[in-house]
């Protein structure tokens, strides 16, 4: 490990004396870094596991970089660990690490968690390296997914592409059993609720409302990604403005988007499409001093983000596909006042848990428009009932519980 100065807000110095855990550098050569992160993880595995088949760029994909990077991660984790340590590996970037670690530490307890969906075998089978990935993952003792259906898809893939026996929720892999579990992630509810009621946040909420001219506010918060359904959402809002002449004086959409994967072409293309749509909508429906879409393309501080959640009458969380979606959880955590309505895509993992939301099919623009309309016009008593149900579920899914339960499952193997 060598000390590295922090250059920008989202990097840390290693070693990091202010953190209550250790961080280690994993050294990758520059071409391997790009091949592993952009070439395979972002351009192949991300669209594949979300079921965006036409977006997958398998052709010249640098698979050897993915293998090399996973070897480096496994070696670093191994060299920092002692016998008896438990390993918990996160996400699709590191799917070979469980198997690689298993060869170094045959008796270790190893877990892996998938933060994004897992598709059915017909989609997963597109991957030229499908057997290697499955073998890599089966090095773990416990494989966790947000939804039972993602775990089910994984087991179907094992049945289709390997010769291992699959039972209800286990796979017999050589002399070991590998468990698959549904372990829905959540957020740190107490910390975020405390932030939501902070007086500074309250003042910011007032400022936002005044700036928006006391119109009803609709909010979208996303990482810029083609899975998040942002163009479809803008189309639904445009339809609302087109169908109801009074809408432009009554409603405003604030779309907050954090830049992401700007080196991948699909993301640059999407950014252009969103810029154009926002320009078109504002060009057509703005009045002097009143703009329908407020578009913030940057990272917000947590305080600013929570002020927006508190100010928003409706949160639009309408991904085309999403493992869980924590913005939905955060909106509910912020609404300690039991106000506000969550309009949620049925294709977000969160839809399977957050029963107080108004569910929509984001591909169906017309019905999304109707759902937004319904949310904006909802009676206080119904809003309250729904938000209470939402908040109860978000509290149950707290991230600390998620971590504790997962580690218990791992230790129980
Ligand atoms: P993501 O795809 O990143 O995560 P999500 O769960 O919605 O998606 O989390 C996004 C996070 O970024 C939220 O905490 C949100 O507050 C924050 N954020 C978004 N825009 C922001 C902005 N402009 N400024 C500041 N913060 C912003 C992946 C999967 C999800 C899964 C999570 C966790 O794709 O499906 O829910 O992992 O497992």
């Amino acid at each position: 490990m060598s000390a590295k100065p922090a250059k920008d807000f989202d990097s840390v110095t290693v070693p990091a004396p202010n953190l209550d855990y250790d961080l280690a550098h994993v050294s990758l050569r520059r071409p391997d870094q790009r091949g592993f992160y952009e070439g395979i993880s972002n351009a192949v595995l991300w669209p594949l596991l979300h079921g965006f088949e036409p977006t997958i760029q398998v052709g010249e994909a640098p698979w050897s970089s993915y293998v090399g990077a996973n070897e480096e991660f496994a070696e670093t984790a191994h060299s920092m660990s002692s016998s008896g340590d438990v390993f918990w590996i996160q996400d699709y970037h590191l799917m070979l690490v469980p198997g690689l670690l298993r060869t170094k530490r045959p008796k270790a307890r190893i877990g892996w968690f998938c933060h994004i969906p897992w598709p059915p075998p017909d989609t997963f089978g597109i991957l030229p390296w499908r057997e290697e990935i499955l073998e890599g993952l089966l090095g773990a003792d416990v494989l966790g997914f947000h939804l039972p259906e993602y775990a089910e898809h994984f087991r179907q893939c094992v049945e289709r592409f390997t010769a291992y026996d699959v039972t209800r929720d286990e796979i017999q892999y050589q002399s070991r059993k590998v468990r698959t579990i549904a372990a829905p992630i959540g957020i740190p509810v107490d910390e975020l609720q405390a932030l939501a009621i902070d007086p500074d946040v309250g003042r910011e909420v007032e400022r936002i409302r005044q700036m928006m001219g006391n119109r009803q506010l609709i909010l979208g918060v996303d990482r810029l990604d083609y899975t998040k359904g942002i163009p479809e959402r803008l189309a639904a809002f445009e339809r609302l403005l087109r169908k109801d002449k009074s809408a432009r004086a009554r409603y405003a959409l604030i779309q907050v988007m954090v830049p992401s994967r700007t080196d991948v072409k699909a993301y640059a293309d999407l950014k252009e499409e969103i810029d154009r749509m926002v320009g078109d909508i504002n060009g057509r429906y703005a009045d002097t001093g009143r703009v329908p879409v407020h578009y913030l393309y940057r990272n917000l501080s947590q305080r600013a983000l929570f002020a927006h959640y508190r100010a928003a009458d409706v949160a639009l969380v309408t991904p085309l596909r999403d493992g869980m979606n924590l913005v939905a959880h955060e909106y509910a955590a912020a609404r300690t006042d039991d106000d506000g309505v969550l309009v949620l895509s049925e294709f977000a993992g969160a839809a399977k848990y957050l029963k107080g939301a108004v569910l929509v099919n984001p591909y169906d623009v017309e019905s999304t428009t109707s759902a937004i309309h319904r949310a904006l016009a909802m009676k206080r008593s119904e809003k309250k009932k729904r938000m209470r149900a939402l908040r109860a579920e978000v509290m149950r899914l707290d991230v600390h519980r998620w971590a504790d339960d997962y580690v218990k499952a791992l230790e129980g193997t």
Side-chain angles (χ1 to χ4, degrees):
M1 273 193 292
S2 59
K4 174 174 161 271
K7 278 206 256 17
D8 41 56
F9 72 95
D10 61 355
S11 61
V12 291
T13 306
V14 176
N18 298 331
L19 296 177
D20 51 9
Y21 50 87
D22 293 331
L23 287 175
H25 274 299
V26 177
S27 301
L28 301 178
R29 290 184 316 119
R30 180 70 64 188
D32 280 344
Q33 236 178 61
R34 291 182 70 94
F36 155 66
Y37 188 62
E38 280 147 29
I40 298 288
S41 301
N42 290 347
V44 178
L45 296 174
W46 176 267
L48 176 92
L49 295 177
H50 282 86
F52 279 68
E53 296 176 16
T55 314
I56 305 168
Q57 290 169 28
V58 167
E60 302 284 311
W63 176 243
S64 60
S65 298
Y66 186 82
V67 176
N70 272 249
E71 284 169 350
E72 289 297 331
F73 273 92
E75 182 45 43
T76 306
H78 175 243
S79 66
M80 290 191 71
S81 65
S82 320
S83 77
D85 281 355
V86 172
F87 295 90
W88 190 12
I89 300 146
Q90 306 295 322
D91 231 357
Y92 62 99
H93 311 82
L94 301 177
M95 292 195 280
L96 304 180
V97 172
L100 292 163
L101 270 175
R102 179 66 63 199
T103 57
K104 297 170 196 288
R105 285 207 191 276
K107 297 232 165 74
R109 289 195 178 107
I110 302 175
W112 174 82
F113 186 76
C114 185
H115 288 264
I116 64 178
W118 193 280
D122 278 349
T123 302
F124 182 71
I126 291 171
L127 195 65
W129 317 284
R130 59 198 189 192
E131 286 87 1
E132 282 106 306
I133 295 266
L134 294 174
E135 285 284 334
L137 289 173
L138 292 171
D141 298 296
V142 178
L143 299 168
F145 302 85
H146 290 305
L147 301 186
E149 74 186 56
Y150 303 158
E152 172 66 25
H153 289 160
F154 177 80
R155 292 190 298 272
Q156 289 168 357
C157 289
V158 173
E159 267 187 318
R160 175 91 67 93
F161 302 117
T162 77
Y164 304 118
D165 281 341
V166 179
T167 56
R168 213 170 57 83
D169 60 2
E170 280 181 347
I171 296 139
Q172 184 67 44
Y173 180 73
Q174 298 167 357
S175 58
R176 288 183 303 109
K177 282 193 189 329
V178 180
R179 271 184 77 195
T180 55
I181 61 170
I185 203 170
I187 55 170
V189 180
D190 289 346
E191 291 91 314
L192 294 180
Q193 289 199 139
L195 177 65
I197 56 170
D198 184 294
D200 280 351
V201 170
R203 281 188 282 277
E204 182 60 14
V205 173
E206 284 316 308
R207 197 189 65 83
I208 294 170
R209 288 210 179 111
Q210 275 178 12
M211 296 284 289
M212 301 303 288
N214 293 319
R215 284 176 286 173
Q216 276 191 286
L217 299 185
I218 305 163
L219 176 69
V221 174
D222 308 82
R223 208 168 37 69
L224 187 146
D225 198 290
Y226 50 80
T227 59
K228 302 288 183 186
I230 301 165
E232 290 76 3
R233 185 183 310 163
L234 289 169
F237 184 62
E238 192 276 335
R239 198 171 182 285
L240 184 72
L241 299 176
R242 184 159 32 95
K243 294 279 160 192
D244 175 359
K245 291 269 178 294
S246 70
R248 66 176 89 170
R250 293 161 58 205
Y251 313 132
L253 170 67
I254 304 180
Q255 176 63 51
V256 187
M257 233 165 53
V258 63
S260 154
R261 305 176 192 174
T262 43
D263 290 343
V264 178
K265 184 171 181 307
Y267 289 75
D269 292 348
L270 176 67
K271 167 77 171 42
E272 259 180 41
E273 183 185 359
I274 293 169
D275 287 355
R276 190 176 39 73
M277 287 183 82
V278 171
D280 281 354
I281 297 172
N282 282 344
R284 221 168 320 147
Y285 301 101
D287 293 308
T288 305
R290 196 173 56 204
V291 173
V293 183
H294 287 242
Y295 170 39
L296 283 66
Y297 179 58
R298 58 176 174 273
N299 227 305
L300 291 190
S301 69
Q302 236 180 8
R303 260 168 212 281
L305 190 59
F306 271 69
H308 282 82
Y309 288 144
R310 292 282 291 203
D313 296 282
V314 173
L316 273 187
V317 177
T318 54
L320 304 177
R321 182 74 60 194
D322 214 333
M324 171 59 80
N325 193 296
L326 295 180
V327 170
H329 289 236
E330 289 166 0
Y331 181 63
R335 301 316 304 242
T336 53
D337 54 357
D338 291 336
D339 205 347
V341 182
L342 173 64
V343 174
L344 179 61
S345 161
E346 59 190 79
F347 304 120
K352 297 287 190 293
Y353 297 102
L354 304 185
K355 295 301 175 207
V358 173
L359 294 188
V360 291
N361 169 2
Y363 291 92
D364 182 346
V365 171
E366 190 176 332
S367 78
T368 306
T369 308
S370 309
I372 299 172
H373 209 262
R374 185 177 153 214
L376 287 163
M378 197 177 277
K379 285 208 179 85
R380 178 79 179 102
S381 56
E382 186 181 350
K383 284 202 265 191
K384 194 167 177 172
K385 193 166 143 237
R386 284 175 174 275
M387 188 51 78
R388 283 195 170 161
L390 260 177
R391 288 175 46 71
E393 198 58 7
V394 165
M395 283 177 203
R396 189 182 72 79
L397 295 175
D398 189 281
V399 71
H400 300 299
R401 175 224 40 96
W402 169 77
D404 287 349
D405 287 358
Y406 203 104
V407 172
K408 266 188 221 134
L410 201 46
E411 286 176 344
T413 55

